[in-house]
């Protein structure tokens, strides 16, 4: 069966498919119900419930992709790091020097990600004979490093950036090792059923273009190179990263997921037609009235039509308080759009 | 006496002067001592202590400007809004519709900002016969609106952006009124002793260039136009706003304070030589070793020398945990720099 998202990632799409970052999760009342039974960590370890959370948005919206319910920090658990959510990620034993990093045990994905792999297998079975693409994902090495080093979401990233500025070669060693870990992790996800994967470099936008290109990009590019060899379609996303676009197009990703801080026309100019574009409605726009959502979504669809490799998405994850009607208006606009007009 | 910062704002500087956003405050042990006696809100209402906090950094570092210790949200207090710090700003009675906004009482700066004006008077006296420039400041209308509407620092700005997208003309009315309020407030600061003023548009970087230019810039430009008529030198700062630079140069500010996400050469290319540039070292770099700080600071000074209107600063406020030695290395590099070489 033809799968619109895979077609777009191959550059052969006639009409933009649609899905949303964080489409599974808190904005859905049925997810909040599920969370009464499972803490976030428990949900990650319960394959059936995680698969259920991944499928919930499909029952409301006609989306073209299902992204498995998981968390970008699972690989740090596989390295023996003590991950908790309070409710943001919290690591009790962050790494503050290279020796600590080198002393980490080999990754144990069987324990840390066995449930995720099982959830992917369930999802792949559930999606048989549907045109829905099953997506896996991982955090990019720099973003993993920020959590491994800061221990939590940071406002200023003083430890991680202090380290990066102070000891670039040690920092590169860390990123390179995290890249290998991520390759292993994503290949496992593909083996379990993921048909394409997205790399989230959540905090890369905090860096300058020059620092990103010199110190971060090589580790990201290493991942995409390994996946390309296996013909696995790939996407790269970073929030607040319009200033990094010139480096992101050198990453080797099949498509770049872009935020809303620049108009789609800016990205259409910057990104070569051989690379796909995903995005880029401001998720806060879904709090406006349906007419406004339809208008702004249509603008993006008009601007990207004919490109063959656009995937409609938000410029950032769906906000937890987003009204269902706003999401519906967004998805319906994609579905009702006629590229011929 | 010649004042290097004022000279730079007039485009006639031979060497970049230096100061730092948030130079007064938590990174200084003597400030933390002061805070044992005064809560943050109490400090804003205690002119002598606020003046003391403003002067503390001068005793350690040879800075060219003193910025008065205050908070960008004082004008909301003047409008009768109930401002608290927990420890981030918290407004118990945020505004959620235009009627509530229109019903606000006229601004009472005498009650809300009398102490600030007194602090400025003290500072101006203290700085007599020194080459130090006394800076006043205010939050830009959009940033004031985010706090007035969200009630606190927001992750997603759903209320404010929902409103902005939904009802652009109502939102413009709010920004225009906040612009008038800000003009009044900054003129009072100048009357009390401020020699130049900086407008902080803290959250503008969350908007797209198109939204910023169309909906936000007119209110900011109105402020700079009013101040230009009175020949008051002005600066504009927004964090994470390299994508807004094309609109910021249309604001009418004498100088634009730029962040570190693009190299200084990017800003030198983009900003006409008739407009000054302030910035742009990543404040996280001050956690690195002095040699690295000296190297990166020197790069900025080399790149901007001869421009005549560069003011060395950080790309964002000083982080509260910054080591004194890091700050010292930054300031000393500026002082020791010989533009002739």
């Amino acid at each position: 069966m033809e799968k619109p998202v895979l077609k777009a990632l191959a550059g052969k799409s006639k009409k933009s498919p649609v899905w949303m970052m964080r489409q599974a999760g808190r904005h859905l009342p049925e997810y909040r119900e599920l969370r009464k039974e499972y803490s976030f960590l428990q949900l990650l370890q319960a394959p059936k419930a995680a698969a259920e959370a991944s499928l919930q948005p499909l029952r409301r919206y006609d989306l073209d992709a299902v992204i498995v319910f998981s968390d970008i920090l699972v690989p740090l658990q596989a390295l023996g790091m003590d991950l908790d959510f309070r409710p943001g990620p919290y690591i009790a034993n962050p790494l503050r020097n290279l020796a600590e990093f080198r002393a980490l045990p080999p990754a144990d994905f069987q324990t840390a990600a066995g449930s995720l792999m099982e959830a992917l297998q369930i999802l792949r079975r559930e999606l048989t004979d549907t045109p829905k693409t099953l997506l896996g994902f991982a955090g990019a090495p720099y973003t993993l490093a920020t959590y491994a080093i800061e221990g939590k979401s940071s406002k200023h990233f003083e430890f991680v950036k202090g380290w990066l500025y102070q000891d670039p070669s040690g920092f590169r060693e860390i990123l390179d090792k995290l890249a290998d870990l991520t390759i292993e992790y994503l290949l496992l996800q593909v083996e379990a059923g993921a048909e394409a994967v997205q790399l989230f470099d959540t905090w890369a936008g905090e860096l300058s273009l020059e620092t990103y290109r010199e110190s971060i990009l090589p580790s990201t590019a290493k991942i995409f190179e390994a996946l390309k060899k296996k013909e696995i379609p790939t996407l790269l996303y970073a929030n607040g990263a319009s200033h990094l676009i010139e480096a992101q197009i050198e990453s080797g990703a099949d498509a770049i997921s872009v935020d809303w801080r620049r108009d789609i026309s800016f990205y259409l100019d910057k990104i070569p037609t051989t690379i796909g574009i995903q995005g880029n409605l401001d998720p806060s726009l879904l709090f406006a009235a349906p007419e406004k959502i339809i208008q702004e979504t249509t603008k993006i669809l008009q601007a990207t039509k004919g490109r063959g490799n656009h995937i409609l998405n938000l410029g950032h994850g769906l906000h937890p308080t987003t009204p269902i009607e706003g999401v519906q208006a967004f998805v319906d606009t994609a579905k009702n759009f006629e590229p011929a007009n």
Side-chain angles (χ1 to χ4, degrees), chain A residues 160-210:
Chain A
V160 71
K161 283 179 157 189
W163 193 341
L164 166 61
Y165 290 133
Q166 184 64 37
D167 173 22
S169 81
F171 201 82
R172 228 178 333 252
E173 179 184 327
I174 294 179
L175 293 184
D176 190 67
K177 184 161 171 190
L178 291 173
D180 291 339
L181 180 82
T182 305
I183 293 167
E184 184 186 348
Y185 182 53
L186 289 173
L187 291 179
L188 283 171
Q189 291 188 40
V190 170
E191 209 175 293
E195 299 169 287
V197 296
Q198 179 158 324
L199 208 56
F200 288 86
D201 211 351
T202 312
W203 299 117
E206 292 293 317
L207 300 168
S208 74
L209 171 61
E210 293 71 23

Side-chain angles (χ1 to χ4, degrees), chain A residues 25-34 36 56 60 324:
Chain A
R26 280 185 290 167
H27 92 284
L28 291 172
E30 52 271 32
Y31 172 82
R32 296 193 298 266
E33 273 306 307
L34 195 62
K36 287 180 185 164
Q56 283 176 341
R60 286 188 183 262
I324 301 283

Side-chain angles (χ1 to χ4, degrees), chain A residues 21-341:
Chain A
M21 293 188 279
R22 287 199 197 274
Q23 63 190 23
R26 280 185 290 167
H27 92 284
L28 291 172
E30 52 271 32
Y31 172 82
R32 296 193 298 266
E33 273 306 307
L34 195 62
R35 281 293 305 281
K36 287 180 185 164
E37 289 174 66
Y38 300 88
S39 75
F40 185 73
L41 266 180
Q42 285 168 342
L43 198 47
L44 297 183
Q45 294 297 331
K48 278 184 198 161
E52 166 61 18
S54 316
L55 289 170
Q56 283 176 341
L58 274 199
R59 303 203 187 101
R60 286 188 183 262
Y61 318 117
D62 187 10
L63 298 158
D64 294 304
V66 172
I67 186 161
V68 65
F69 189 89
S70 183
D71 189 83
I72 56 165
L73 299 185
V74 168
L76 296 184
Q77 285 186 306
L79 288 176
M81 299 195 79
D82 198 1
L83 177 67
D84 196 5
F85 291 87
R86 305 180 171 185
Y90 183 85
I91 290 166
N93 52 345
L95 305 172
R96 294 285 159 83
N97 61 62
L98 204 51
E100 284 176 8
F101 190 82
R102 286 176 177 157
L104 287 173
D108 175 4
F109 279 119
Q110 201 154 1
T111 306
S115 307
L116 167 62
M117 301 311 159
E118 226 178 295
L120 281 163
Q121 286 159 0
I122 296 170
L123 288 169
R124 190 61 184 272
R125 278 198 303 275
E126 291 281 333
L127 298 173
T128 313
D129 299 327
T130 78
K132 317 289 184 191
T133 299
L134 179 57
L135 299 176
F137 71 95
Y142 175 68
T143 291
L144 284 182
T146 62
Y147 288 100
I149 294 166
E150 302 284 343
K152 53 185 200 271
S153 290
S154 171
K155 205 169 161 191
H156 303 305
F157 301 97
E158 44 248 57
F159 291 114
V160 71
K161 283 179 157 189
W163 193 341
L164 166 61
Y165 290 133
Q166 184 64 37
D167 173 22
S169 81
F171 201 82
R172 228 178 333 252
E173 179 184 327
I174 294 179
L175 293 184
D176 190 67
K177 184 161 171 190
L178 291 173
D180 291 339
L181 180 82
T182 305
I183 293 167
E184 184 186 348
Y185 182 53
L186 289 173
L187 291 179
L188 283 171
Q189 291 188 40
V190 170
E191 209 175 293
E195 299 169 287
V197 296
Q198 179 158 324
L199 208 56
F200 288 86
D201 211 351
T202 312
W203 299 117
E206 292 293 317
L207 300 168
S208 74
L209 171 61
E210 293 71 23
T211 303
Y212 177 78
R213 183 178 262 145
E214 196 183 311
S215 303
I216 311 305
L217 186 62
S219 60
T220 307
K222 187 181 190 183
I223 296 169
F224 289 127
E225 199 190 338
L227 296 177
K228 197 174 284 287
K229 279 189 191 143
K230 309 260 182 186
E231 294 180 356
I232 300 161
T234 53
L235 293 131
L236 172 62
Y237 172 73
N239 184 36
S242 59
H243 64 294
L244 302 181
I245 193 70
E246 291 163 39
Q248 287 181 313
I249 62 180
E250 300 162 11
S251 69
D254 291 316
I256 298 169
S257 193
V258 298
D259 84 356
W260 71 88
R261 288 178 180 80
R262 294 301 305 254
D263 189 83
I264 192 72
S265 60
F266 169 84
Y267 293 112
L268 285 164
D269 281 352
K270 288 277 184 188
I271 301 175
T273 52
T274 50
I275 299 174
I277 299 183
Q278 180 171 271
N280 73 337
L281 197 87
D282 183 351
S284 298
L285 226 146
L286 303 184
F287 293 84
E291 306 79 60
K292 180 72 184 165
I293 297 169
I294 294 167
Q295 181 193 330
E296 294 298 322
T297 305
T298 304
K299 260 194 216 168
I300 296 172
L301 293 169
Q302 282 291 357
T304 54
K305 78 177 180 187
R307 190 174 163 109
N309 59 13
H310 175 248
I311 299 170
L312 183 65
N313 206 316
L314 304 171
H316 190 48
L318 202 55
H319 302 329
T321 53
T322 311
I324 301 283
E325 316 83 71
V327 180
Q328 200 74 65
F330 174 68
V331 178
D332 288 353
T333 305
K335 290 295 156 179
N336 298 334
F337 184 71
E338 293 291 345
N341 299 329

